[in-house]
Amino acid sequence: MSLRPSAVLPKAERLLAPHWPLLVVLFVGMTFVVRAVDDFRGIPGDLGDARFNSVVLEHFYLWAKGANERLWDPGFFYPYKDVLGFSDNHFGSAPVYAVFRFLGFDRMDAFQGWFVVGHISTLLATYISFRILGFSNTAAAFGALVFAFSLNVLAKTGHAQLTYRFGTPLAFSMFWLMLRDARPEKLGWVAIWTSWQFLCSIYLGLFLFMILSAVFIAYIVLAQPKQVWTTIHNFRNLTLRQWTFLALQIVGSAVILLSVLLKYAEVKTLYDFGRNYGDISQMLPRIQSYFMADSSSIWRDFSHSIGEYITYRHEHQMFFGGFALLLCALALLHWRKAAWEENLFRVAIGASAIVFVSTLAVGSTHSVFQLLLLIPGFDSIRAVTRISLVLVLLVAIVAAIGIEGLIRPKWIPTKFAVLLLASLSLVETNSFSPHSTPKSEWKARAEQLRTTLPNPFPEGGILWATSTPFDHFAALYTELDAMIVAQDLGVPTLNGYSGNSPPGYVFPTNCTDPTPRFSQFAPFSQETLLSVKNIQQRIVSAGTVVCSVFSDPQPSTGGIDQSIAPKILMSAEPDELPNFFNVTIRNTSDQALLTNSTGNTAVRLSWRFNASDGSTEANWDPRFDLGFSLAPGAEAQVLVEVERPDSSEDYLEFSLVQDGYFWFHDAGMSIARVHIGASDLQK
C-alpha cells in the first residue's frame, strides 16, 4: 500500500517540463562551473589528476574510433598489460567526451565539455529523482543544488573522476519506490543506475552500495518493516512481461558490471594490489573532517583552526556547508510533515548515522570500516573521506524536507523564498575558490617535450621522458607529459601515472636507469616475443640532458663488493608532505654504487619502525627501488612514502639491502635514524 496519496505523484510530463526554480539553481551551479574552468580558459585542478583523466578519456575515444584495439591497454607503463585497471576507467562517462571529440573539439575543450555536462547531468538527475520522491518543484530544485554543489563537492573539483554522480540519486529514488510502494519491478532500475554509477567511478559505486545498504537497514528499523515483506511477496504478482523486463534489466546490468569488476579483480591478483589498513586509516573521516572547508572564504578561519595534524588534509574537506545545514535545521523544525516525508526523514537520518559510524576513525587507529575490508573490493578504497560525495544525497533529502516546511504553510511567498535561498547559496558557492590550470600550460608542456624528440618519431620507438632529480612533483608531471605526447603520437611510453604502479617503478629522473621499470615485465605482458634487450634498444629518450652527479647507469651482474658498505653514508629527514621522507645517500668510496641488477638482486632502500629503547624492532619488510648508479663522491636524495603500522614506535630507520647477498648495516654502514613527530607521520 502506498504511504502517501497517489495524487502527489508527479506525472511524467510534469517531471520533464521546465520549472523556474530549477532554472534558478542551474544558474547558481553554472556560476561555479564557469569559475572552475576559468571562463573556459583553464582545466579544473592541477597538472596531476586532471591530465590523467584526460589520458583515460582520450584513450576511450581512440578505442571508439578504432585507433587502439586494446581497451585495457592505453599505452603507458609499457610493456605492462591491463594498466587501465590500475585506477578509474570512466566507461560510464567517457562516451560524453567522445561525442565532443567526434564533433571536432580538441582534447582540452572536450575535457571542459565533459566536465560541464557531468555537473549539469548530476543536478538534473537529482531534480528528477526528488520529483519522483514527491517533492515540490522548489524543494526538488534546491535539494538538487545541495547534492550537486555543496562545499564538500566543490572541494573535489580537482578530482574530475568524481564529477559524474547522476546514478546515485536515480538509483536511490528507484530503491525508495521499490520499498515504499512495494513495487519489486523497480529493482531492475536500481540495478541499471547502480551499475552505471560503478562504471562512472568505482569509488562512487562502492559508496552508493554502502548508502543503499544503510537505507535498507534504516527502513526496516525506523519506517515500515512490514512493507519490505510486502515487496518480497509482490514478486509473485509480477506478470510475465514484467518478469521478462526485470530479468533483462538485472542480467544486462550484471553482465556489464561483472565483466568490468572481474577485470579489476584479475588485475589486482596479477599485480598483487591492495591497501593495508594502516594506509586506508589515514583517509578515514574524523569528526573534524565534517567541519573542514579550507577553500571557502566564509569558513576558512574556522576550518584552519581544527584538524591541525590530519594527514592528507585536502581529502578531509567534508563540510557540507552552512546553506545545507540551515535547510536541515528547517527540516527539524518542520513538525507538520506528511506521512511520506516523515518516513523519508527518519530513514535519511538513520542511514546517515549508520554510514557516519561505520566509516568514522576513532582515535588514531580504530574504525568499524576495518570490518568492511573483509568484503571483496573494499580494500581497494583508500580515500574513504570521499563517501561524503554520496552521503550528501541524504543531507540533500533532509534539506528538501526543510524547504517544504518553509514554503508549504505559505508563511512567505514561494518566489521570495526561491530568490532568498538562491542568494544564500550563491554567496556560499562563490566563497569557494576553485583551482584551475591554464590550457596554455597544458599545451606548452606537451610542445616543449615534443621539441626534444626526433621528428619523425622512430617507428617502433618507445618514449621515455625524464625530469631533473629530487623533485617529486616534477617527476610526476613529467610522467603525464610523456603520456599525453605518446598518446598524441600513437606510440607507447615507459612513463606512467595512476592509482597503482607496476613492479620496479622508479621516478623518471635523468639520473635514473629505466631498466627496473620493465625488467620484471614477462609475467605481466601480452607480447611474448619481447625481451629486456629489445625494449632497451627501442627506447627513445626525450632531451639530451646528461646526469651530472651519477655514474653511467649500469646494472650489476651479481653480488656487489661488500667493502663499499662502510663508505656509504645515509641520513633521513621528514619532507614537507606528511608521510614522506627525504633519504640522502652519499658514496664516499672510490667505486660506483651499482643499485640495478640484471636479475632480482638490485640494491634497494628498506625501512622499519623502532622504539627509542630498541625494544620493538620491526622487520625490514618494505623495498624501494633506487634505479641509479652513484658515482664515487656523489650524493643522491630519494623521496619515499612510509605507511605507519598499528603500533607506537617513535623512530624510523633506513638501510640498504641487496637481496640474496647482504644488508649494508651488517657490513658496516650506519643505519639512518629519524624521530617521528606527530606532524611527520599520521594515522
Side-chain angles (χ1 to χ4, degrees), residues 110 380 487 550 555 585 632:
S380 64
Q487 195 171 54
F550 299 154
I585 306 172

Side-chain angles (χ1 to χ4, degrees), residues 43-61 76 84 87-91 93-94 97 107 110-111 114-115 156-164 200-201 386 442 480 483-484 487 497-499:
I43 305 294
D46 56 22
L47 289 168
D49 273 9
R51 292 198 296 166
F52 169 73
N53 288 315
S54 171
V55 169
V56 174
L57 292 168
E58 182 73 6
H59 169 66
F60 181 88
Y61 160 69
F76 57 84
L84 193 63
S87 188
D88 271 322
N89 55 64
H90 295 312
F91 290 163
S93 63
Y97 174 89
R107 66 185 302 155
F111 186 91
W114 171 82
F115 179 80
K156 295 296 183 285
T157 304
H159 299 289
Q161 67 270 29
L162 304 172
T163 300
Y164 280 76
C200 289
S201 169
R386 295 179 183 179
W442 274 41
L480 287 154
M483 291 163 65
I484 289 176
Q487 195 171 54
Y497 173 98
S498 190

Side-chain angles (χ1 to χ4, degrees), residues 586-618:
R586 183 172 179 79
N587 181 10
T588 65
S589 74
D590 57 1
Q591 58 181 305
L593 172 62
L594 307 180
T595 67
N596 295 325
S597 74
T598 54
N600 192 29
T601 58
V603 173
R604 296 182 174 94
L605 184 69
S606 184
W607 57 87
R608 69 176 180 181
F609 291 88
N610 200 352
S612 56
D613 59 1
S615 61
T616 58
E617 293 182 349

Side-chain angles (χ1 to χ4, degrees), residues 426-445:
L426 189 61
V427 169
E428 186 169 61
T429 302
N430 282 329
S431 77
F432 187 89
S433 301
H435 174 69
S436 64
T437 302
K439 291 193 293 185
S440 58
E441 187 171 355
W442 274 41
K443 186 176 180 180
R445 291 186 67 96

Side-chain angles (χ1 to χ4, degrees), residues 620-638:
W620 296 93
D621 291 330
R623 296 291 188 272
F624 183 87
D625 285 286
L626 298 172
F628 54 70
S629 297
L630 194 59
E635 180 180 287
Q637 188 180 75
V638 295

Side-chain angles (χ1 to χ4, degrees), residues 36 39-40 66 69 92 108 138-139 184 264 273 339 359 386 390 444 453 504 541 544 553 600 608 638 646 661 663 676:
D39 294 330
F40 293 94
E69 296 180 356
M108 289 180 288
T138 301
Y264 274 97
F273 289 152
T359 58
R386 295 179 183 179
V390 179
L453 297 173
S541 297
T544 57
N600 192 29
R608 69 176 180 181
V638 295
D646 299 333
Y661 290 92
W663 284 91
I676 304 168

